[in-house]
């Protein structure tokens, strides 16, 4: 019998697969059985996400396309709602919308965009999501918030299905995870990146005791809808190998042990059999069932994807 939280897998496609262009890479990922092709939203990383999602949807027929995740500071939600609804309608409902409050300091510094304190950015994300959902509903929509004001705007075009595409929210702090539990369809339970760059502190925030605490915050916000949520895990490090020295080397970079790294849901290093066991353990402990594989490892993990998808 299948687990109530069934596995599915996405590939994070910031750049083409080896020997292919981006569009051919999208077709190959679909053929390999990936559920979703995600694109990031960092100014120095890969194609523009709106154009990429539209292009990937145009050259495929079954795989979902999505953002992991759109930085709410980069686009006004009224403009973004229209672009996303267009992709969702044209793709036949294959869009997943990932939203985030922004964390990478380099994006803000190099572009000259003000990076407000975390509480302000989280509040903006919450309003951003409310505007998107409102404009994907029926009829004129109005909103009055601290960051956005919408006056009797009837969002067009309509998304593929009433209510619009699924909303994925990623976060690592209590306020955002509690809110995501109450409002999102898919939740990425992630480390907090307080410094604005992935560093040793962020790695330690992804270890098992911290994930226990984060899932507890999510449960508190979700209440009786927790079992309806899909928990998403973005793998920061993934490699198929039978060499234990690989895990030792990665662990040393982040000031932890290979054993602790192996129990973190953000890392997946080992043989395909070991990887399958760890994913099942993590699903039982925390509920993670939607796993995001780095694009450069998508081919290596394809047998695992074929074996676990839907189980």
């Amino acid at each position: 019998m299948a687990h109530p939280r069934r596995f599915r897998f996405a590939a994070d496609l910031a750049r083409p697969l080896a020997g292919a262009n981006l569009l051919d890479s999208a077709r190959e990922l679909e053929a390999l059985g990936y559920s979703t092709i995600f694109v990031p939203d960092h100014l120095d990383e890969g194609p523009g996400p709106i154009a990429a999602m539209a292009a990937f949807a145009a050259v495929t027929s079954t795989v979902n396309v999505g953002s992991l995740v759109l930085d709410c500071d980069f686009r006004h939600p009224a403009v973004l709602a229209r672009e996303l609804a267009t992709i969702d309608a044209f793709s036949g409902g294959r869009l997943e919308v990932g939203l985030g409050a922004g964390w990478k300091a380099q994006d803000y510094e190099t572009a000259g965009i003000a990076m407000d304190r975390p509480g302000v950015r989280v509040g903006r994300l919450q309003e951003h999501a409310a505007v998107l959902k409102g404009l994907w509903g029926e009829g004129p929509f109005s909103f009055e918030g601290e960051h956005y004001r919408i006056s009797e705007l009837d969002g067009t075009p309509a998304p593929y299905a009433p209510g619009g595409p699924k909303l994925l929210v990623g976060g690592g702090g209590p306020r955002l995870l509690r809110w995501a539990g109450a409002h999102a369809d898919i939740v990425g339970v992630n480390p907090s990146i307080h410094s604005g760059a992935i560093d040793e502190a962020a790695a330690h925030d992804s270890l098992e005791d911290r994930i226990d605490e984060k899932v507890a915050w999510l449960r508190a916000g979700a209440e009786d809808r927790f079992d309806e949520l899909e928990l998403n895990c973005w793998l920061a490090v993934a490699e198929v190998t039978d060499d234990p020295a690989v895990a030792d080397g990665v662990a040393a970079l982040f000031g932890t042990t290979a054993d602790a790294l192996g129990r973190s849901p953000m890392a997946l290093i080992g043989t395909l059999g070991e990887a399958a066991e760890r994913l099942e353990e993590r699903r039982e402990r925390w509920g993670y069932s939607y796993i995001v594989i780095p694009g450069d490892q998508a081919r290596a993990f394809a047998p695992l994807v074929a074996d676990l998808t839907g189980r």
Side-chain angles (χ1 to χ4, degrees), residues 23-184:
L23 297 184
D24 286 340
S25 297
R27 296 185 186 99
E28 181 176 346
L29 291 170
E30 179 177 51
L32 290 174
Y34 282 88
S35 169
T36 308
I37 303 168
F38 279 125
V39 287
D41 190 22
H42 298 300
L43 301 182
D44 63 344
E45 189 174 352
I50 306 301
M53 289 187 290
F56 294 161
V59 301
T60 59
S61 59
T62 59
V63 70
N64 292 341
V65 298
S67 53
L68 200 69
V69 291
L70 296 173
D71 187 327
C72 291
D73 288 343
F74 295 168
R75 303 167 189 86
H76 192 286
V79 177
L80 184 62
R82 185 183 185 200
E83 299 296 332
L84 295 177
T86 301
I87 296 172
D88 190 52
F90 286 1
S91 68
R94 291 189 285 131
L95 178 67
E96 295 180 5
V97 177
L99 293 179
W103 64 267
K104 190 173 181 179
Q106 181 180 337
D107 285 335
Y108 292 83
E109 292 166 357
T110 56
I113 299 172
M115 189 174 190
D116 293 320
R117 60 182 175 82
V120 173
R121 300 200 313 273
V122 169
R124 189 177 293 119
L125 163 62
Q126 292 170 339
E127 291 190 13
H128 202 107
V131 172
L132 291 182
K133 296 298 285 186
L135 291 173
W136 291 335
E138 295 185 5
F141 171 72
S142 296
F143 181 87
E144 189 75 38
E146 182 180 351
H147 305 283
Y148 303 111
R149 183 177 65 83
I150 307 295
S151 300
E152 292 295 304
L153 178 58
D154 194 353
T156 59
Y160 178 76
K166 286 186 176 182
L167 182 64
L168 186 164
V169 174
R175 178 186 174 194
L176 185 48
L177 285 172
R178 290 185 183 117
W179 178 86
H183 296 278

Side-chain angles (χ1 to χ4, degrees), residues 170-174 177-178 187-193 201-220 226 231-236 260-267 278-279 281-289 291:
L177 285 172
R178 290 185 183 117
V187 181
V189 182
N190 303 326
S192 293
I193 307 176
H204 287 181
D205 200 53
S206 72
L207 299 181
E208 57 181 334
D209 58 333
R210 297 292 294 134
I211 301 300
D212 286 341
E213 188 171 16
K214 293 171 189 290
V215 172
W217 294 333
L218 177 62
R219 280 185 176 275
F226 179 77
L231 272 62
N232 174 279
C233 181
W234 174 79
L235 292 172
L261 181 73
R263 295 196 301 274
S264 167
M266 308 302 155
R278 287 174 183 155
L279 291 181
E281 290 167 358
R282 295 166 187 179
R283 182 172 63 177
E284 290 304 315
R285 179 169 179 174
W286 296 301
Y288 288 114
S289 61
I291 314 302

